[in-house]
Amino acid sequence: KRAGMSRSSQVEVVKVIARSPSAAGGLQDESHFILWHQQFHELEYILEPGVTLYMIDGDLAYFVKTPKNIELYDTQEYPFFYMAQQQMCSHVITMPLDNFLHLSSTLTMPQCQWATLLHVARCGSTAVTQCINKLPDWTVVAESCFIQKHFYDQECKNSTDLNNYIQTERCFDVVEGCIKFMLKDFSSESKVLIKGFGIGDATLIPALTSRFPDQKIIWMQRDGINTAISHFRALYSLSYDLTSVYFRYPLSSYFLQKAASRIIFAITNGMMSEFAELISPTVTSCDTLVLHYWRWITNSVQYERYHRLTSNICVYHFEDFIADQAFVLTQVLVLVDATVWPA
């Protein structure tokens, strides 16, 4: 049972009574929890240690509180930050987005040294962050989903052109606030790497370059066919019944190349109806590989559109990482910290 957000100048703290088992594999959502209203607090409650930003959804900002003995930033124990938050939080804290932005405007810029790793998924980014997290003084926020729901709401619920919205001052304010709250507990001696979620990561580039122009951005890429196949294999390993529900075509590069050629033709010629013919009206009848390839194309097109906004970006490919992991890790650290990778 939830109390209404009747005290707009305060945050509402609700206790997690239970959580959905399905929450572990999906994007965060309040519906993953059974919650019970506990109390209201002043806005500054979210600045306390142990309270971390969870997501921006609609007109509300969500934070979670975890017990002191839980180390959310341990990428060996919790490879993905948002899953750790889902699984280990004891309370969910909500506040109006306008109050979130107002409180954010009173905070100083992050005092720690930090950089951002954006990626297309299935490209070696998790291995990179796990290695970096082992280094002294380094902490990795590995796949926080703080902004994905907000972008989804703008495009799907509010019928907003996302490409226009992500270049507005309002979007810049939201992203700046998210970064400030994500890094609020780190001192000037800390070094933090924020890893993106792998879905629409490049859409963060305009806001990052506008509000944090000196910050370094790492972009990790992989070719589309192998990205799509890797996605399928990862989902199959989770025992989803993709072969009978989603997957209707042979697992072959030929099929992907044929589908991709039609998608690229549609993009090039502005004929989005051409792409619509590739998928059925319902998600359950879509071909999984085509959808994953479309996700890769979307990520790549967004990167090509926005990466020219900054000179502080460096690109690494999955193949380079596989060929020489130590070299790529050294280059990443040199980019963000001018530190030589230890022997």
Side-chain angles (χ1 to χ4, degrees):
K1 181 178 177 60
R2 292 290 309 278
M5 285 297 295
S6 58
R7 304 187 184 185
S8 60
S9 62
Q10 295 181 307
V11 299
E12 183 183 14
V13 181
V14 294
K15 186 175 182 179
V16 176
I17 305 300
R19 69 200 80 221
S20 168
S22 63
L27 191 63
Q28 76 278 42
D29 193 297
E30 187 190 16
S31 65
H32 288 160
F33 305 105
I34 298 176
L35 303 170
W36 190 269
H37 170 73
Q38 197 165 45
Q39 57 191 318
F40 286 97
H41 279 283
E42 297 303 316
L43 295 178
E44 290 72 17
Y45 180 80
I46 63 173
L47 299 178
E48 293 186 3
V51 176
T52 55
L53 177 65
Y54 189 42
M55 65 175 176
I56 307 296
D57 187 6
D59 295 327
L60 294 175
Y62 289 78
F63 292 76
V64 295
K65 186 174 184 179
T66 51
K68 294 181 179 180
N69 63 327
I70 301 298
E71 181 48 69
L72 293 178
Y73 302 103
D74 182 354
T75 58
Q76 299 298 319
E77 181 72 20
Y78 307 110
F80 305 112
F81 188 72
Y82 77 99
M83 288 189 184
Q85 290 178 305
Q86 288 173 342
Q87 296 167 16
M88 307 310 299
C89 68
S90 59
H91 296 79
V92 175
I93 304 157
T94 55
M95 66 186 301
L97 181 57
D98 287 339
N99 289 351
F100 169 90
L101 295 175
H102 174 72
L103 184 58
S104 166
S105 68
T106 68
L107 301 180
T108 60
M109 285 296 183
Q111 300 301 304
C112 62
Q113 181 177 333
W114 64 281
T116 310
L117 191 157
L118 308 178
H119 58 103
V120 297
R122 313 303 300 173
C123 60
S125 58
T126 298
V128 169
T129 55
Q130 289 183 342
C131 289
I132 291 178
N133 204 43
K134 292 180 179 180
L135 295 176
D137 303 325
W138 272 96
T139 301
V140 177
V141 184
E143 296 201 12
S144 169
C145 299
F146 64 94
I147 203 68
Q148 271 69 27
K149 286 291 292 294
H150 179 65
F151 284 170
Y152 172 84
D153 289 341
Q154 294 301 316
E155 189 166 38
C156 298
K157 295 183 180 180
N158 300 336
S159 299
T160 301
D161 186 328
L162 184 60
N163 291 318
N164 290 333
Y165 174 73
I166 62 176
Q167 300 183 75
T168 64
E169 291 298 317
R170 172 73 172 187
C171 180
F172 294 172
D173 289 342
V174 173
V175 173
E176 178 185 324
C178 289
I179 296 296
K180 285 181 175 179
F181 283 112
M182 289 173 68
L183 300 177
K184 66 181 177 65
D185 295 331
F186 295 98
S187 68
S188 58
E189 290 77 28
S190 301
K191 302 171 186 177
V192 183
L193 182 65
I194 299 175
K195 177 190 173 189
F197 187 57
I199 299 179
D201 277 9
T203 54
L204 290 170
I205 294 177
L208 291 173
T209 55
S210 173
R211 298 301 172 87
F212 309 100
D214 297 328
Q215 294 306 311
K216 305 297 191 300
I217 298 174
I218 302 159
W219 177 260
M220 293 198 68
Q221 181 73 300
R222 186 180 186 179
D223 74 275
I225 291 176
N226 285 321
T227 298
I229 291 175
S230 181
H231 268 296
F232 175 80
R233 288 172 176 164
L235 289 174
Y236 189 79
S237 69
L238 293 175
S239 299
Y240 288 115
D241 191 12
L242 292 175
T243 53
S244 61
V245 180
Y246 294 97
F247 192 52
R248 298 183 290 111
Y249 295 94
L251 186 62
S252 68
S253 296
Y254 170 77
F255 169 72
L256 283 175
Q257 291 168 341
K258 183 177 179 181
S261 67
R262 293 184 63 190
I263 294 173
I264 293 173
F265 176 83
I267 294 175
T268 304
N269 294 276
M271 300 169 59
M272 295 312 296
S273 60
E274 181 76 11
F275 170 70
E277 295 176 3
L278 292 174
I279 60 176
S280 303
T282 59
V283 173
T284 55
S285 61
C286 293
D287 178 81
T288 306
L289 281 177
V290 172
L291 292 181
H292 283 312
Y293 203 106
W294 174 249
R295 168 176 160 180
W296 175 86
I297 289 177
T298 302
N299 282 333
S300 300
V301 168
Q302 289 171 342
Y303 169 75
E304 291 300 325
R305 179 176 292 158
Y306 300 121
H307 81 277
R308 296 177 180 85
L309 295 174
T310 177
S311 60
N312 291 329
I313 191 166
C314 193
V315 181
Y316 296 100
H317 294 271
F318 173 80
E319 292 76 15
D320 298 330
F321 180 69
I322 294 300
D324 193 339
Q325 296 186 17
F327 176 78
V328 171
L329 289 169
T330 300
Q331 294 303 305
V332 168
L333 290 171
V334 168
L335 177 71
V336 301
D337 188 30
T339 298
V340 177
W341 182 256

